[in-house]
PDB file of all heavy atoms in Angstrom:
ATOM      1  N   ALA A   1       0.932  -1.178   0.032  1.00 96.00           N
ATOM      2  CA  ALA A   1       0.040  -0.026  -0.072  1.00 96.00           C
ATOM      3  C   ALA A   1       0.866   1.313   0.021  1.00 96.00           C
ATOM      4  O   ALA A   1       0.612   2.223  -0.754  1.00 96.00           O
ATOM      5  CB  ALA A   1      -0.968   0.001   1.230  1.00 96.00           C
ATOM      6  N   ALA A   2       1.957   1.277   0.759  1.00 96.00           N
ATOM      7  CA  ALA A   2       2.825   2.408   0.818  1.00 96.00           C
ATOM      8  C   ALA A   2       3.565   2.603  -0.489  1.00 96.00           C
ATOM      9  O   ALA A   2       3.666   3.689  -0.984  1.00 96.00           O
ATOM     10  CB  ALA A   2       3.822   2.320   1.978  1.00 96.00           C
ATOM     11  N   LEU A   3       3.944   1.617  -1.069  1.00 96.00           N
ATOM     12  CA  LEU A   3       4.602   1.648  -2.361  1.00 96.00           C
ATOM     13  C   LEU A   3       3.717   2.087  -3.440  1.00 96.00           C
ATOM     14  O   LEU A   3       3.983   2.946  -4.178  1.00 96.00           O
ATOM     15  CB  LEU A   3       5.152   0.315  -2.819  1.00 96.00           C
ATOM     16  CG  LEU A   3       5.957   0.214  -4.058  1.00 96.00           C
ATOM     17  CD1 LEU A   3       7.220   1.163  -4.093  1.00 96.00           C
ATOM     18  CD2 LEU A   3       6.469  -1.258  -4.414  1.00 96.00           C
ATOM     19  N   ALA A   4       2.490   1.537  -3.482  1.00 96.00           N
ATOM     20  CA  ALA A   4       1.455   1.942  -4.433  1.00 96.00           C
ATOM     21  C   ALA A   4       1.058   3.376  -4.290  1.00 96.00           C
ATOM     22  O   ALA A   4       0.798   4.084  -5.295  1.00 96.00           O
ATOM     23  CB  ALA A   4       0.235   1.046  -4.300  1.00 96.00           C
ATOM     24  N   ALA A   5       0.988   3.940  -3.061  1.00 95.00           N
ATOM     25  CA  ALA A   5       0.677   5.343  -2.924  1.00 95.00           C
ATOM     26  C   ALA A   5       1.688   6.254  -3.647  1.00 95.00           C
ATOM     27  O   ALA A   5       1.251   7.186  -4.223  1.00 95.00           O
ATOM     28  CB  ALA A   5       0.607   5.634  -1.398  1.00 95.00           C
ATOM     29  N   VAL A   6       2.881   5.843  -3.512  1.00 95.00           N
ATOM     30  CA  VAL A   6       3.966   6.782  -4.069  1.00 95.00           C
ATOM     31  C   VAL A   6       4.069   6.548  -5.623  1.00 95.00           C
ATOM     32  O   VAL A   6       4.037   7.514  -6.344  1.00 95.00           O
ATOM     33  CB  VAL A   6       5.347   6.429  -3.384  1.00 95.00           C
ATOM     34  CG1 VAL A   6       6.453   7.248  -4.177  1.00 95.00           C
ATOM     35  CG2 VAL A   6       5.361   6.795  -1.939  1.00 95.00           C
ATOM     36  N   VAL A   7       4.111   5.290  -6.085  1.00 95.00           N
ATOM     37  CA  VAL A   7       4.132   5.002  -7.488  1.00 95.00           C
ATOM     38  C   VAL A   7       2.836   5.496  -8.158  1.00 95.00           C
ATOM     39  O   VAL A   7       2.873   6.104  -9.292  1.00 95.00           O
ATOM     40  CB  VAL A   7       4.505   3.608  -7.788  1.00 95.00           C
ATOM     41  CG1 VAL A   7       4.329   3.269  -9.247  1.00 95.00           C
ATOM     42  CG2 VAL A   7       5.842   3.167  -7.247  1.00 95.00           C
ATOM     43  N   GLY A   8       1.648   5.413  -7.513  1.00 94.00           N
ATOM     44  CA  GLY A   8       0.464   5.892  -8.014  1.00 94.00           C
ATOM     45  C   GLY A   8       0.385   7.305  -8.298  1.00 94.00           C
ATOM     46  O   GLY A   8      -0.123   7.817  -9.283  1.00 94.00           O
ATOM     47  N   ALA A   9       0.939   8.043  -7.295  1.00 93.00           N
ATOM     48  CA  ALA A   9       0.942   9.482  -7.345  1.00 93.00           C
ATOM     49  C   ALA A   9       2.049  10.072  -8.268  1.00 93.00           C
ATOM     50  O   ALA A   9       1.782  11.084  -8.961  1.00 93.00           O
ATOM     51  CB  ALA A   9       1.077  10.090  -5.929  1.00 93.00           C
ATOM     52  N   HIS A  10       3.113   9.421  -8.351  1.00 92.00           N
ATOM     53  CA  HIS A  10       4.279  10.006  -9.005  1.00 92.00           C
ATOM     54  C   HIS A  10       4.922   9.194 -10.100  1.00 92.00           C
ATOM     55  O   HIS A  10       5.868   9.635 -10.842  1.00 92.00           O
ATOM     56  CB  HIS A  10       5.416  10.296  -8.020  1.00 92.00           C
ATOM     57  CG  HIS A  10       4.955  11.111  -6.904  1.00 92.00           C
ATOM     58  ND1 HIS A  10       4.751  12.485  -6.988  1.00 92.00           N
ATOM     59  CD2 HIS A  10       4.658  10.834  -5.655  1.00 92.00           C
ATOM     60  CE1 HIS A  10       4.303  13.068  -5.901  1.00 92.00           C
ATOM     61  NE2 HIS A  10       4.263  12.036  -4.993  1.00 92.00           N
ATOM     62  N   GLY A  11       4.298   7.938 -10.337  1.00 89.00           N
ATOM     63  CA  GLY A  11       4.901   7.140 -11.405  1.00 89.00           C
ATOM     64  C   GLY A  11       6.383   6.689 -11.011  1.00 89.00           C
ATOM     65  O   GLY A  11       6.746   6.488  -9.956  1.00 89.00           O
ATOM     66  N   CYS A  12       7.150   6.612 -12.089  1.00 90.00           N
ATOM     67  CA  CYS A  12       8.530   6.326 -11.996  1.00 90.00           C
ATOM     68  C   CYS A  12       8.740   4.913 -11.446  1.00 90.00           C
ATOM     69  O   CYS A  12       8.086   4.047 -11.814  1.00 90.00           O
ATOM     70  CB  CYS A  12       9.310   7.377 -11.189  1.00 90.00           C
ATOM     71  SG  CYS A  12       8.917   8.999 -11.821  1.00 90.00           S
ATOM     72  N   LEU A  13       9.811   4.807 -10.489  1.00 93.00           N
ATOM     73  CA  LEU A  13      10.174   3.425 -10.082  1.00 93.00           C
ATOM     74  C   LEU A  13      10.305   3.162  -8.617  1.00 93.00           C
ATOM     75  O   LEU A  13      11.021   3.944  -8.038  1.00 93.00           O
ATOM     76  CB  LEU A  13      11.575   3.065 -10.758  1.00 93.00           C
ATOM     77  CG  LEU A  13      12.150   1.729 -10.527  1.00 93.00           C
ATOM     78  CD1 LEU A  13      11.296   0.665 -11.203  1.00 93.00           C
ATOM     79  CD2 LEU A  13      13.528   1.635 -11.020  1.00 93.00           C
ATOM     80  N   GLY A  14       9.579   2.242  -8.169  1.00 95.00           N
ATOM     81  CA  GLY A  14       9.658   1.780  -6.753  1.00 95.00           C
ATOM     82  C   GLY A  14      10.507   0.531  -6.714  1.00 95.00           C
ATOM     83  O   GLY A  14      10.538  -0.262  -7.636  1.00 95.00           O
ATOM     84  N   PHE A  15      11.280   0.292  -5.663  1.00 96.00           N
ATOM     85  CA  PHE A  15      12.040  -0.882  -5.624  1.00 96.00           C
ATOM     86  C   PHE A  15      12.379  -1.274  -4.171  1.00 96.00           C
ATOM     87  O   PHE A  15      12.227  -0.572  -3.177  1.00 96.00           O
ATOM     88  CB  PHE A  15      13.379  -0.757  -6.268  1.00 96.00           C
ATOM     89  CG  PHE A  15      14.364   0.184  -5.871  1.00 96.00           C
ATOM     90  CD1 PHE A  15      15.415  -0.115  -4.983  1.00 96.00           C
ATOM     91  CD2 PHE A  15      14.250   1.605  -6.256  1.00 96.00           C
ATOM     92  CE1 PHE A  15      16.303   0.849  -4.600  1.00 96.00           C
ATOM     93  CE2 PHE A  15      15.130   2.467  -5.767  1.00 96.00           C
ATOM     94  CZ  PHE A  15      16.212   2.102  -4.958  1.00 96.00           C
ATOM     95  N   TYR A  16      12.742  -2.575  -4.008  1.00 97.00           N
ATOM     96  CA  TYR A  16      12.978  -3.229  -2.682  1.00 97.00           C
ATOM     97  C   TYR A  16      14.255  -4.150  -2.825  1.00 97.00           C
ATOM     98  O   TYR A  16      14.261  -4.942  -3.730  1.00 97.00           O
ATOM     99  CB  TYR A  16      11.814  -3.973  -2.230  1.00 97.00           C
ATOM    100  CG  TYR A  16      11.948  -4.477  -0.782  1.00 97.00           C
ATOM    101  CD1 TYR A  16      11.862  -3.588   0.248  1.00 97.00           C
ATOM    102  CD2 TYR A  16      12.031  -5.916  -0.625  1.00 97.00           C
ATOM    103  CE1 TYR A  16      11.971  -4.152   1.608  1.00 97.00           C
ATOM    104  CE2 TYR A  16      12.134  -6.320   0.728  1.00 97.00           C
ATOM    105  CZ  TYR A  16      12.106  -5.512   1.763  1.00 97.00           C
ATOM    106  OH  TYR A  16      12.196  -5.924   3.114  1.00 97.00           O
ATOM    107  N   ASN A  17      15.179  -3.950  -1.985  1.00 97.00           N
ATOM    108  CA  ASN A  17      16.316  -4.815  -1.867  1.00 97.00           C
ATOM    109  C   ASN A  17      16.124  -5.781  -0.638  1.00 97.00           C
ATOM    110  O   ASN A  17      16.233  -5.344   0.506  1.00 97.00           O
ATOM    111  CB  ASN A  17      17.618  -3.891  -1.696  1.00 97.00           C
ATOM    112  CG  ASN A  17      17.837  -2.940  -2.749  1.00 97.00           C
ATOM    113  OD1 ASN A  17      17.732  -3.317  -3.919  1.00 97.00           O
ATOM    114  ND2 ASN A  17      18.143  -1.663  -2.326  1.00 97.00           N
ATOM    115  N   GLY A  18      15.793  -6.899  -0.924  1.00 97.00           N
ATOM    116  CA  GLY A  18      15.401  -7.874   0.097  1.00 97.00           C
ATOM    117  C   GLY A  18      16.591  -8.548   0.800  1.00 97.00           C
ATOM    118  O   GLY A  18      16.968  -9.637   0.550  1.00 97.00           O
ATOM    119  N   GLY A  19      17.203  -7.645   1.704  1.00 97.00           N
ATOM    120  CA  GLY A  19      18.310  -8.189   2.569  1.00 97.00           C
ATOM    121  C   GLY A  19      19.650  -7.726   2.025  1.00 97.00           C
ATOM    122  O   GLY A  19      19.832  -7.146   0.932  1.00 97.00           O
ATOM    123  N   ARG A  20      20.671  -7.882   2.791  1.00 97.00           N
ATOM    124  CA  ARG A  20      22.018  -7.407   2.541  1.00 97.00           C
ATOM    125  C   ARG A  20      22.499  -8.029   1.233  1.00 97.00           C
ATOM    126  O   ARG A  20      23.140  -7.364   0.433  1.00 97.00           O
ATOM    127  CB  ARG A  20      22.909  -7.723   3.673  1.00 97.00           C
ATOM    128  CG  ARG A  20      24.435  -7.329   3.499  1.00 97.00           C
ATOM    129  CD  ARG A  20      25.378  -7.837   4.539  1.00 97.00           C
ATOM    130  NE  ARG A  20      25.330  -9.183   4.712  1.00 97.00           N
ATOM    131  CZ  ARG A  20      25.890 -10.124   3.776  1.00 97.00           C
ATOM    132  NH1 ARG A  20      26.496  -9.757   2.801  1.00 97.00           N
ATOM    133  NH2 ARG A  20      25.761 -11.448   4.116  1.00 97.00           N
ATOM    134  N   ILE A  21      22.297  -9.320   1.035  1.00 97.00           N
ATOM    135  CA  ILE A  21      22.792  -9.981  -0.216  1.00 97.00           C
ATOM    136  C   ILE A  21      22.074  -9.379  -1.454  1.00 97.00           C
ATOM    137  O   ILE A  21      22.665  -9.455  -2.537  1.00 97.00           O
ATOM    138  CB  ILE A  21      22.559 -11.523  -0.064  1.00 97.00           C
ATOM    139  CG1 ILE A  21      23.546 -12.104   0.971  1.00 97.00           C
ATOM    140  CG2 ILE A  21      22.780 -12.198  -1.464  1.00 97.00           C
ATOM    141  CD1 ILE A  21      23.279 -13.442   1.318  1.00 97.00           C
ATOM    142  N   ALA A  22      21.023  -8.823  -1.309  1.00 97.00           N
ATOM    143  CA  ALA A  22      20.307  -8.106  -2.420  1.00 97.00           C
ATOM    144  C   ALA A  22      20.709  -6.677  -2.539  1.00 97.00           C
ATOM    145  O   ALA A  22      20.027  -5.890  -3.260  1.00 97.00           O
ATOM    146  CB  ALA A  22      18.827  -8.268  -2.250  1.00 97.00           C
ATOM    147  N   GLY A  23      21.593  -6.235  -1.759  1.00 95.00           N
ATOM    148  CA  GLY A  23      22.091  -4.752  -1.898  1.00 95.00           C
ATOM    149  C   GLY A  23      21.507  -3.875  -0.874  1.00 95.00           C
ATOM    150  O   GLY A  23      21.706  -2.654  -0.878  1.00 95.00           O
ATOM    151  N   ALA A  24      20.760  -4.333   0.156  1.00 95.00           N
ATOM    152  CA  ALA A  24      20.217  -3.437   1.224  1.00 95.00           C
ATOM    153  C   ALA A  24      21.387  -2.992   2.117  1.00 95.00           C
ATOM    154  O   ALA A  24      22.103  -3.816   2.657  1.00 95.00           O
ATOM    155  CB  ALA A  24      19.158  -4.184   2.059  1.00 95.00           C
ATOM    156  N   SER A  25      21.467  -1.711   2.268  1.00 92.00           N
ATOM    157  CA  SER A  25      22.514  -1.166   3.175  1.00 92.00           C
ATOM    158  C   SER A  25      22.078  -0.953   4.640  1.00 92.00           C
ATOM    159  O   SER A  25      22.856  -0.677   5.426  1.00 92.00           O
ATOM    160  CB  SER A  25      22.998   0.148   2.547  1.00 92.00           C
ATOM    161  OG  SER A  25      22.012   1.144   2.560  1.00 92.00           O
ATOM    162  N   GLN A  26      20.833  -1.070   4.858  1.00 92.00           N
ATOM    163  CA  GLN A  26      20.204  -0.924   6.166  1.00 92.00           C
ATOM    164  C   GLN A  26      19.302  -2.163   6.492  1.00 92.00           C
ATOM    165  O   GLN A  26      18.682  -2.627   5.737  1.00 92.00           O
ATOM    166  CB  GLN A  26      19.397   0.341   6.233  1.00 92.00           C
ATOM    167  CG  GLN A  26      20.068   1.568   5.926  1.00 92.00           C
ATOM    168  CD  GLN A  26      21.251   1.909   6.880  1.00 92.00           C
ATOM    169  OE1 GLN A  26      21.019   1.779   8.129  1.00 92.00           O
ATOM    170  NE2 GLN A  26      22.318   2.359   6.353  1.00 92.00           N
ATOM    171  N   ALA A  27      19.403  -2.495   7.800  1.00 95.00           N
ATOM    172  CA  ALA A  27      18.557  -3.633   8.273  1.00 95.00           C
ATOM    173  C   ALA A  27      17.016  -3.335   8.462  1.00 95.00           C
ATOM    174  O   ALA A  27      16.287  -4.156   8.591  1.00 95.00           O
ATOM    175  CB  ALA A  27      19.175  -4.207   9.533  1.00 95.00           C
ATOM    176  N   HIS A  28      16.776  -2.043   8.691  1.00 95.00           N
ATOM    177  CA  HIS A  28      15.365  -1.609   8.925  1.00 95.00           C
ATOM    178  C   HIS A  28      14.593  -1.674   7.583  1.00 95.00           C
ATOM    179  O   HIS A  28      15.034  -1.095   6.588  1.00 95.00           O
ATOM    180  CB  HIS A  28      15.405  -0.200   9.505  1.00 95.00           C
ATOM    181  CG  HIS A  28      14.045   0.294   9.965  1.00 95.00           C
ATOM    182  ND1 HIS A  28      13.977   1.041  11.200  1.00 95.00           N
ATOM    183  CD2 HIS A  28      12.791   0.215   9.452  1.00 95.00           C
ATOM    184  CE1 HIS A  28      12.623   1.357  11.308  1.00 95.00           C
ATOM    185  NE2 HIS A  28      11.982   0.764  10.321  1.00 95.00           N
ATOM    186  N   LYS A  29      13.410  -2.272   7.613  1.00 96.00           N
ATOM    187  CA  LYS A  29      12.640  -2.495   6.395  1.00 96.00           C
ATOM    188  C   LYS A  29      12.356  -1.158   5.714  1.00 96.00           C
ATOM    189  O   LYS A  29      11.756  -0.280   6.382  1.00 96.00           O
ATOM    190  CB  LYS A  29      11.386  -3.197   6.679  1.00 96.00           C
ATOM    191  CG  LYS A  29      10.693  -3.644   5.431  1.00 96.00           C
ATOM    192  CD  LYS A  29       9.172  -4.117   5.618  1.00 96.00           C
ATOM    193  CE  LYS A  29       9.148  -5.637   5.660  1.00 96.00           C
ATOM    194  NZ  LYS A  29       7.701  -6.032   5.871  1.00 96.00           N
ATOM    195  N   HIS A  30      12.739  -1.019   4.504  1.00 96.00           N
ATOM    196  CA  HIS A  30      12.417   0.172   3.683  1.00 96.00           C
ATOM    197  C   HIS A  30      12.367  -0.196   2.223  1.00 96.00           C
ATOM    198  O   HIS A  30      13.127  -0.892   1.683  1.00 96.00           O
ATOM    199  CB  HIS A  30      13.517   1.237   3.946  1.00 96.00           C
ATOM    200  CG  HIS A  30      14.856   0.822   3.467  1.00 96.00           C
ATOM    201  ND1 HIS A  30      15.671  -0.074   4.151  1.00 96.00           N
ATOM    202  CD2 HIS A  30      15.644   1.185   2.375  1.00 96.00           C
ATOM    203  CE1 HIS A  30      16.735  -0.242   3.481  1.00 96.00           C
ATOM    204  NE2 HIS A  30      16.793   0.502   2.425  1.00 96.00           N
ATOM    205  N   LEU A  31      11.331   0.355   1.597  1.00 96.00           N
ATOM    206  CA  LEU A  31      11.158   0.361   0.160  1.00 96.00           C
ATOM    207  C   LEU A  31      11.756   1.602  -0.372  1.00 96.00           C
ATOM    208  O   LEU A  31      11.947   2.617   0.465  1.00 96.00           O
ATOM    209  CB  LEU A  31       9.694   0.279  -0.252  1.00 96.00           C
ATOM    210  CG  LEU A  31       9.074  -1.111   0.086  1.00 96.00           C
ATOM    211  CD1 LEU A  31       8.057  -0.966   1.253  1.00 96.00           C
ATOM    212  CD2 LEU A  31       8.353  -1.696  -1.178  1.00 96.00           C
ATOM    213  N   GLN A  32      11.916   1.826  -1.578  1.00 95.00           N
ATOM    214  CA  GLN A  32      12.493   3.038  -2.095  1.00 95.00           C
ATOM    215  C   GLN A  32      11.806   3.407  -3.412  1.00 95.00           C
ATOM    216  O   GLN A  32      11.180   2.654  -4.073  1.00 95.00           O
ATOM    217  CB  GLN A  32      13.996   2.855  -2.363  1.00 95.00           C
ATOM    218  CG  GLN A  32      14.798   2.463  -1.154  1.00 95.00           C
ATOM    219  CD  GLN A  32      16.217   2.282  -1.341  1.00 95.00           C
ATOM    220  OE1 GLN A  32      16.957   3.131  -1.658  1.00 95.00           O
ATOM    221  NE2 GLN A  32      16.676   1.074  -1.066  1.00 95.00           N
ATOM    222  N   TRP A  33      11.960   4.740  -3.728  1.00 93.00           N
ATOM    223  CA  TRP A  33      11.406   5.315  -4.968  1.00 93.00           C
ATOM    224  C   TRP A  33      12.422   6.237  -5.603  1.00 93.00           C
ATOM    225  O   TRP A  33      13.099   6.902  -4.905  1.00 93.00           O
ATOM    226  CB  TRP A  33      10.058   5.999  -4.698  1.00 93.00           C
ATOM    227  CG  TRP A  33       9.548   6.760  -5.790  1.00 93.00           C
ATOM    228  CD1 TRP A  33       8.635   6.247  -6.658  1.00 93.00           C
ATOM    229  CD2 TRP A  33       9.722   8.055  -6.242  1.00 93.00           C
ATOM    230  NE1 TRP A  33       8.270   7.147  -7.600  1.00 93.00           N
ATOM    231  CE2 TRP A  33       8.934   8.372  -7.367  1.00 93.00           C
ATOM    232  CE3 TRP A  33      10.490   9.053  -5.702  1.00 93.00           C
ATOM    233  CZ2 TRP A  33       8.897   9.569  -8.030  1.00 93.00           C
ATOM    234  CZ3 TRP A  33      10.552  10.377  -6.293  1.00 93.00           C
ATOM    235  CH2 TRP A  33       9.713  10.553  -7.431  1.00 93.00           C
ATOM    236  N   VAL A  34      12.534   6.255  -6.931  1.00 91.00           N
ATOM    237  CA  VAL A  34      13.366   7.133  -7.646  1.00 91.00           C
ATOM    238  C   VAL A  34      12.633   7.816  -8.768  1.00 91.00           C
ATOM    239  O   VAL A  34      11.673   7.110  -9.303  1.00 91.00           O
ATOM    240  CB  VAL A  34      14.710   6.456  -8.126  1.00 91.00           C
ATOM    241  CG1 VAL A  34      15.646   6.141  -7.039  1.00 91.00           C
ATOM    242  CG2 VAL A  34      14.422   5.289  -9.044  1.00 91.00           C
ATOM    243  N   PRO A  35      12.921   8.987  -9.099  1.00 84.00           N
ATOM    244  CA  PRO A  35      12.221   9.707 -10.256  1.00 84.00           C
ATOM    245  C   PRO A  35      12.582   9.215 -11.579  1.00 84.00           C
ATOM    246  O   PRO A  35      13.565   8.442 -11.748  1.00 84.00           O
ATOM    247  CB  PRO A  35      12.612  11.125 -10.014  1.00 84.00           C
ATOM    248  CG  PRO A  35      13.937  11.056  -9.442  1.00 84.00           C
ATOM    249  CD  PRO A  35      13.940   9.799  -8.473  1.00 84.00           C
ATOM    250  N   ALA A  36      11.914   9.629 -12.615  1.00 73.00           N
ATOM    251  CA  ALA A  36      12.060   9.156 -13.950  1.00 73.00           C
ATOM    252  C   ALA A  36      13.479   9.292 -14.483  1.00 73.00           C
ATOM    253  O   ALA A  36      14.029   8.464 -15.142  1.00 73.00           O
ATOM    254  CB  ALA A  36      11.076   9.907 -14.861  1.00 73.00           C
ATOM    255  N   GLN A  37      14.189  10.444 -14.171  1.00 64.00           N
ATOM    256  CA  GLN A  37      15.449  10.631 -14.748  1.00 64.00           C
ATOM    257  C   GLN A  37      16.547   9.745 -14.094  1.00 64.00           C
ATOM    258  O   GLN A  37      17.577   9.436 -14.750  1.00 64.00           O
ATOM    259  CB  GLN A  37      15.995  12.054 -14.575  1.00 64.00           C
ATOM    260  CG  GLN A  37      16.196  12.551 -13.033  1.00 64.00           C
ATOM    261  CD  GLN A  37      14.943  13.080 -12.456  1.00 64.00           C
ATOM    262  OE1 GLN A  37      13.821  12.877 -12.826  1.00 64.00           O
ATOM    263  NE2 GLN A  37      15.172  13.949 -11.455  1.00 64.00           N
ATOM    264  N   ALA A  38      16.182   9.024 -13.072  1.00 59.00           N
ATOM    265  CA  ALA A  38      17.151   8.060 -12.484  1.00 59.00           C
ATOM    266  C   ALA A  38      17.071   6.669 -13.165  1.00 59.00           C
ATOM    267  O   ALA A  38      17.973   6.002 -13.201  1.00 59.00           O
ATOM    268  CB  ALA A  38      16.854   7.876 -10.991  1.00 59.00           C
ATOM    269  N   SER A  39      15.853   6.271 -13.503  1.00 62.00           N
ATOM    270  CA  SER A  39      15.686   4.947 -14.026  1.00 62.00           C
ATOM    271  C   SER A  39      14.313   4.791 -14.510  1.00 62.00           C
ATOM    272  O   SER A  39      13.339   5.289 -14.123  1.00 62.00           O
ATOM    273  CB  SER A  39      15.868   3.923 -12.926  1.00 62.00           C
ATOM    274  OG  SER A  39      16.057   2.605 -13.447  1.00 62.00           O
ATOM    275  N   ALA A  40      14.233   4.116 -15.697  1.00 66.00           N
ATOM    276  CA  ALA A  40      12.921   3.797 -16.348  1.00 66.00           C
ATOM    277  C   ALA A  40      12.746   2.337 -16.589  1.00 66.00           C
ATOM    278  O   ALA A  40      13.142   1.921 -17.675  1.00 66.00           O
ATOM    279  CB  ALA A  40      12.725   4.622 -17.497  1.00 66.00           C
ATOM    280  N   LEU A  41      12.299   1.517 -15.744  1.00 71.00           N
ATOM    281  CA  LEU A  41      12.153   0.078 -15.850  1.00 71.00           C
ATOM    282  C   LEU A  41      11.357  -0.223 -17.118  1.00 71.00           C
ATOM    283  O   LEU A  41      11.612  -1.103 -17.813  1.00 71.00           O
ATOM    284  CB  LEU A  41      11.522  -0.516 -14.702  1.00 71.00           C
ATOM    285  CG  LEU A  41      11.367  -2.038 -14.637  1.00 71.00           C
ATOM    286  CD1 LEU A  41      12.687  -2.814 -14.811  1.00 71.00           C
ATOM    287  CD2 LEU A  41      10.513  -2.560 -13.470  1.00 71.00           C
ATOM    288  N   GLY A  42      10.246   0.520 -17.340  1.00 69.00           N
ATOM    289  CA  GLY A  42       9.433   0.288 -18.446  1.00 69.00           C
ATOM    290  C   GLY A  42      10.115   0.219 -19.811  1.00 69.00           C
ATOM    291  O   GLY A  42       9.702  -0.440 -20.747  1.00 69.00           O
ATOM    292  N   ASP A  43      11.242   0.980 -19.856  1.00 70.00           N
ATOM    293  CA  ASP A  43      12.020   1.035 -21.150  1.00 70.00           C
ATOM    294  C   ASP A  43      12.684  -0.340 -21.454  1.00 70.00           C
ATOM    295  O   ASP A  43      13.010  -0.592 -22.596  1.00 70.00           O
ATOM    296  CB  ASP A  43      13.071   2.046 -21.123  1.00 70.00           C
ATOM    297  CG  ASP A  43      12.487   3.500 -21.072  1.00 70.00           C
ATOM    298  OD1 ASP A  43      11.314   3.636 -21.379  1.00 70.00           O
ATOM    299  OD2 ASP A  43      13.264   4.481 -20.748  1.00 70.00           O
ATOM    300  N   PHE A  44      12.846  -1.168 -20.436  1.00 72.00           N
ATOM    301  CA  PHE A  44      13.575  -2.411 -20.592  1.00 72.00           C
ATOM    302  C   PHE A  44      12.553  -3.552 -20.736  1.00 72.00           C
ATOM    303  O   PHE A  44      13.022  -4.731 -20.911  1.00 72.00           O
ATOM    304  CB  PHE A  44      14.502  -2.651 -19.400  1.00 72.00           C
ATOM    305  CG  PHE A  44      15.533  -1.706 -19.229  1.00 72.00           C
ATOM    306  CD1 PHE A  44      15.386  -0.609 -18.373  1.00 72.00           C
ATOM    307  CD2 PHE A  44      16.709  -1.691 -20.060  1.00 72.00           C
ATOM    308  CE1 PHE A  44      16.464   0.320 -18.265  1.00 72.00           C
ATOM    309  CE2 PHE A  44      17.629  -0.818 -19.826  1.00 72.00           C
ATOM    310  CZ  PHE A  44      17.533   0.280 -18.990  1.00 72.00           C
ATOM    311  N   LEU A  45      11.260  -3.371 -20.607  1.00 79.00           N
ATOM    312  CA  LEU A  45      10.355  -4.476 -20.543  1.00 79.00           C
ATOM    313  C   LEU A  45       9.481  -4.596 -21.827  1.00 79.00           C
ATOM    314  O   LEU A  45       9.166  -3.692 -22.369  1.00 79.00           O
ATOM    315  CB  LEU A  45       9.465  -4.450 -19.306  1.00 79.00           C
ATOM    316  CG  LEU A  45      10.181  -4.338 -17.925  1.00 79.00           C
ATOM    317  CD1 LEU A  45       9.173  -4.048 -16.768  1.00 79.00           C
ATOM    318  CD2 LEU A  45      10.875  -5.570 -17.729  1.00 79.00           C
ATOM    319  N   PRO A  46       9.077  -5.848 -22.156  1.00 80.00           N
ATOM    320  CA  PRO A  46       8.134  -5.991 -23.240  1.00 80.00           C
ATOM    321  C   PRO A  46       6.747  -5.481 -22.772  1.00 80.00           C
ATOM    322  O   PRO A  46       6.510  -5.424 -21.548  1.00 80.00           O
ATOM    323  CB  PRO A  46       8.112  -7.530 -23.471  1.00 80.00           C
ATOM    324  CG  PRO A  46       8.339  -8.043 -22.142  1.00 80.00           C
ATOM    325  CD  PRO A  46       9.385  -7.132 -21.453  1.00 80.00           C
TER     326      PRO A  46
END
């Protein structure tokens, strides 16, 4: 719901690094969002 609220309002890209091995730098649960100029996943997908 938190991720959908941000992506729904602003588009762009939400992401989650599931643990240290997946690139998470902090142990406290956190999702992330970046604006369009940072990354556009849709450009890479069919």
Side-chain angles (χ1 to χ4, degrees):
L3 183 62
V6 176
V7 173
H10 303 287
C12 308
L13 183 67
F15 65 97
Y16 186 72
N17 302 313
R20 182 188 53 77
I21 292 172
S25 60
Q26 301 296 320
H28 189 140
K29 187 191 259 187
H30 62 287
L31 292 106
Q32 300 179 64
W33 175 89
V34 291
Q37 65 268 28
S39 191
L41 179 64
D43 293 345
F44 298 98
L45 300 175

